[in-house]
Amino acid sequence: DTAVSQTPKYLVTQMGNDKSIKCEQNLGHDTMYWYKQDSKKFLKIMFSYNNKELIINETVPNRFSPKSPDKAHLNLHINSLELGDSAVYFCASSQRGSNEQYFGPGTRLTVT
Amino acid sequence: DAKTTQPNSMESNEEEPVHLPCNHSTISGTDYIHWYRQLPSQGPEYVIHGLTSNVNNRMASLAIAEDRKSSTLILHRATLRDAAVYYCILRYSNSGYALNFGKGTSLLVTP
């Protein structure tokens, strides 16, 4: 069983569209994250979230919003997509008290 | 956040040991040293972490300098599958915080 899964794996869309990326973890973790890896391969945190607290990287545009229907899911919604949003997005999870974060396989978003 | 400095790239022969260095001269007393790696076209994966003492696990060893201003990730016998970008990351305490990835070291393993 995949610990952290993301769908879709690839997403190609046009500028101005709204899209969502789904993330699910079956590890029973209480904290989930979204990271963005740009074309230069830099990995940057976008959000971290548990059932009590959302921490937002201040550099993330408000067109991006995480939504958590339950503890095992943290979806990423993106409004009014721009060319610069093209990147690979990784979901991750961890348990408070543990040092390990588990990452999903990534979603490659291409905005045309 | 305290920063880390790593070489951009390193090369190793298969089945030889690899020592990946990391400098973190501004580390604070509460910073844990974490290593992650990212294989091509995959998400990062946890390798090892430590605070003050050297650490060993099934994947690697972590040697931490006595003053904690540097550390070394040791792969005892590199395999082709170990070719990846290795990230040295400092993180406050040991839980609940996002990882601040730097540029990492791209390790090339040759047969």
Side-chain angles (χ1 to χ4, degrees), chain A residues 44-93:
Chain A
K44 297 294 183 187
I45 181 65
M46 300 178 71
F47 305 99
S48 62
Y49 180 81
N50 64 26
N51 58 3
K52 297 179 182 177
E53 185 178 22
L54 171 66
I55 299 175
I56 304 172
N57 184 325
E58 60 187 13
T59 66
V60 175
N62 57 15
R63 298 182 294 103
F64 290 78
S65 58
K67 296 196 191 309
S68 180
D70 56 58
K71 197 175 163 183
H73 297 83
L74 183 65
N75 303 325
L76 182 64
H77 294 265
I78 316 170
N79 295 325
S80 302
L81 277 156
E82 301 177 357
L83 293 176
D85 298 332
S86 296
V88 182
Y89 293 83
F90 290 100
C91 176
S93 72

Side-chain angles (χ1 to χ4, degrees), chain B residues 39-53:
Chain B
L39 301 172
S41 301
Q42 295 188 28
E45 65 173 337
Y46 168 85
V47 177
I48 201 167
H49 78 278
L51 183 60
T52 56
S53 303

Side-chain angles (χ1 to χ4, degrees), chain B residues 11-71:
Chain B
E11 192 169 337
S12 173
N13 293 322
E14 197 176 11
E15 299 190 3
E16 289 186 356
V18 182
H19 291 235
L20 296 163
C22 181
N23 288 321
H24 30 78
S25 58
T26 60
I27 191 171
S28 71
T30 52
D31 283 335
Y32 282 72
I33 302 161
H34 295 254
W35 284 82
Y36 279 72
R37 71 179 185 181
Q38 186 174 20
L39 301 172
S41 301
Q42 295 188 28
E45 65 173 337
Y46 168 85
V47 177
I48 201 167
H49 78 278
L51 183 60
T52 56
S53 303
N54 295 344
V55 185
N56 299 297
N57 66 18
R58 63 176 178 81
M59 289 182 71
S61 296
L62 176 60
I64 301 173
E66 197 168 331
D67 62 4
R68 300 210 327 126
K69 293 185 177 181
S70 65
S71 60

Side-chain angles (χ1 to χ4, degrees), chain A residues 2-7 21-34 49-51 67-76 91-95 102 104:
Chain A
T2 303
V4 182
S5 59
Q6 297 178 227
T7 53
I21 305 172
K22 295 185 177 181
C23 177
E24 176 182 2
Q25 54 96 3
N26 62 6
L27 300 167
H29 288 166
D30 61 4
T31 306
M32 297 183 72
Y33 312 81
W34 277 105
Y49 180 81
N50 64 26
N51 58 3
K67 296 196 191 309
S68 180
D70 56 58
K71 197 175 163 183
H73 297 83
L74 183 65
N75 303 325
L76 182 64
C91 176
S93 72
S94 70
Q95 181 68 26
Y102 292 80

